[in-house]
């Protein structure tokens, strides 16, 4: 019998976060995917340099690719340094890839990276979300809810 997957991922060092993603999308499901990187990309990530703000993932030919993620060139790299915005392959199980492909094709959902991090074994991972885009009125409701939580916490702190 397969071991059950944990509810939260083992994030030891978070390198990059896409904070805007939870505001722009309704997150339905999250997956942990490995990243296929070259040596200088890993060194740049360990230095804490990465941006996934404008990036997304796509399923192409039975593989999942992270597109438009920016990992800048490693400062001490030589002529074999990597290209900063190249598409990077994500490592997922075949069953997960099929599930993602079906959701993107049939339901019109989007694959959005939420964070890039290193786990306890030192491997670079991506938290990938299967999400549906929010409309303007949904975003306004999110802002209203966030403000209400902040005001409620302030009142509770003042009253003791």
């Amino acid at each position: 019998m397969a071991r059950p997957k944990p509810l939260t991922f083992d994030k030891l060092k978070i390198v990059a976060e896409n904070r805007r993603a939870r505001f722009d999308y309704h997150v339905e499901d999250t997956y942990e995917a490995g990243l296929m990187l070259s040596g200088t990309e890993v060194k740049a990530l360990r230095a804490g340099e990465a941006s996934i703000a404008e990036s997304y993932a796509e399923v192409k030919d039975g593989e999942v690719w992270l597109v438009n993620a920016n990992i800048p060139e490693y400062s001490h790299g030589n002529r074999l340094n990597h290209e900063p915005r190249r598409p990077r392959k994500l490592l997922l199980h075949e069953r997960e890839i099929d599930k993602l492909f079906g959701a993107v094709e049939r339901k019109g959902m989007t694959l959005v990276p939420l964070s890039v991090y290193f786990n306890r074994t030192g491997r670079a991972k991506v938290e990938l979300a299967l999400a549906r885009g929010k409309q303007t009125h949904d975003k306004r409701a999110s802002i209203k809810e966030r403000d209400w939580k902040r005001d409620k916490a302030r009142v509770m702190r003042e009253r003791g």
Side-chain angles (χ1 to χ4, degrees):
M1 191 160 104
R3 191 174 343 148
K5 293 205 172 190
L7 296 176
T8 59
F9 303 120
D10 186 20
K11 297 180 181 181
L12 185 65
K13 177 185 176 188
I14 297 176
V15 178
E17 265 190 306
N18 189 354
R19 296 172 51 116
R20 184 103 181 135
R22 293 198 188 269
F23 180 73
D24 288 337
Y25 298 96
H26 290 289
V27 175
E28 303 282 328
D29 222 355
T30 57
Y31 296 91
E32 182 178 46
L35 265 171
M36 191 177 275
L37 301 170
S38 68
T40 55
E41 287 175 326
V42 175
K43 290 179 180 186
L45 280 179
R46 288 206 189 278
E49 302 173 4
S51 171
I52 56 170
E54 309 93 33
S55 63
Y56 62 95
E58 64 182 6
V59 181
K60 193 187 313 177
D61 300 328
E63 296 176 335
V64 182
W65 294 86
L66 182 64
V67 181
N68 212 16
N70 184 27
I71 300 176
E73 290 185 346
Y74 182 57
S75 59
H76 301 300
N78 56 9
R79 61 186 172 84
L80 300 176
N81 225 337
H82 65 275
E83 188 181 324
R85 285 196 178 267
R86 73 175 183 88
R88 292 167 179 89
K89 187 175 177 182
L90 296 179
L91 307 172
L92 290 159
H93 291 283
E94 194 172 338
R95 186 178 293 155
E96 291 175 329
I97 293 172
D98 293 340
K99 193 182 293 185
L100 293 174
F101 180 71
V104 168
E105 286 296 310
R106 282 193 288 288
K107 298 178 187 171
M109 300 181 95
T110 308
L111 293 174
V112 182
L114 298 178
S115 63
V116 175
Y117 57 92
F118 286 100
N119 64 3
R120 295 233 182 263
T121 59
R123 301 196 185 266
K125 301 285 184 178
V126 175
E127 184 179 5
L128 193 65
L130 188 60
R132 186 179 312 277
K134 281 187 184 178
Q135 301 206 345
T136 309
H137 62 274
D138 294 331
K139 292 179 185 179
R140 281 195 296 260
S142 297
I143 292 170
K144 229 185 254 185
E145 184 179 333
R146 184 180 63 210
D147 289 346
W148 166 240
K149 283 183 182 177
R150 189 181 308 129
D151 291 343
K152 187 168 64 172
R154 188 178 300 132
V155 167
M156 292 300 285
R157 249 193 332 266
E158 288 172 0
R159 290 190 178 177

